[in-house]
Amino acid sequence: MTAPHPEFHELTFVTERDEVTVGRPDIESYVTFPADGAELLRRLMDGMETTAAARWYQETYGEPVDITDFLSTLDDCGFVRSEGEDTARLGTVRHQRLGRWLFSPRPGSSSPC
């Protein structure tokens, strides 16, 4: 039975051309999806019910999606939270100010470095 409102861990999305790498950095689990699969995942993460998400996918892309199989894949990757499981928080990137300073354009320079 598919949960109508699956809960997800915090995930990262990196778009590269027509694919999106989705990851859970705290366990180093990453999967590359086609853009339509990543959009389906985003809708589920935003709280869309599974049946509504499957219907949206078919209406948008003109083909059905096996939502049970899709959720099973997400669960196998460690993206779906189990009932009562806490979500891991992604840490903040350290030294952002230093990075901005090092890689920002300098006055009178045409190169950023």
Side-chain angles (χ1 to χ4, degrees):
M1 180 86 175
T2 303
H5 293 287
E7 296 290 325
F8 295 92
H9 289 278
E10 243 180 86
L11 303 175
T12 60
F13 290 78
V14 178
T15 303
E16 297 177 18
R17 296 185 194 94
D18 59 347
E19 297 180 327
V20 180
T21 300
V22 179
R24 185 175 161 200
D26 63 308
I27 62 168
E28 297 183 8
S29 178
Y30 301 91
V31 179
T32 301
F33 287 101
D36 59 327
E39 186 57 33
L40 177 60
L41 174 55
R42 283 187 179 108
R43 289 180 181 265
L44 289 167
M45 290 181 72
D46 288 342
M48 184 179 276
E49 288 188 6
T50 54
T51 54
R55 189 171 41 254
W56 166 84
Y57 186 91
Q58 182 155 0
E59 290 169 359
T60 303
Y61 297 103
E63 58 187 56
V65 62
D66 185 336
I67 197 73
T68 303
D69 187 50
F70 186 69
L71 287 170
S72 178
T73 298
L74 297 173
D75 191 38
D76 290 345
C77 296
F79 294 173
V80 180
R81 281 189 6 213
S82 301
E83 190 173 322
E85 182 181 10
D86 290 333
T87 185
R89 291 283 176 213
L90 301 179
T92 57
V93 178
R94 296 175 52 191
H95 307 295
Q96 290 182 32
R97 277 178 66 188
L98 177 61
R100 280 192 296 273
W101 181 81
L102 286 173
F103 296 104
S104 62
R106 302 283 177 255
S109 170
S110 61
S111 170
C113 296

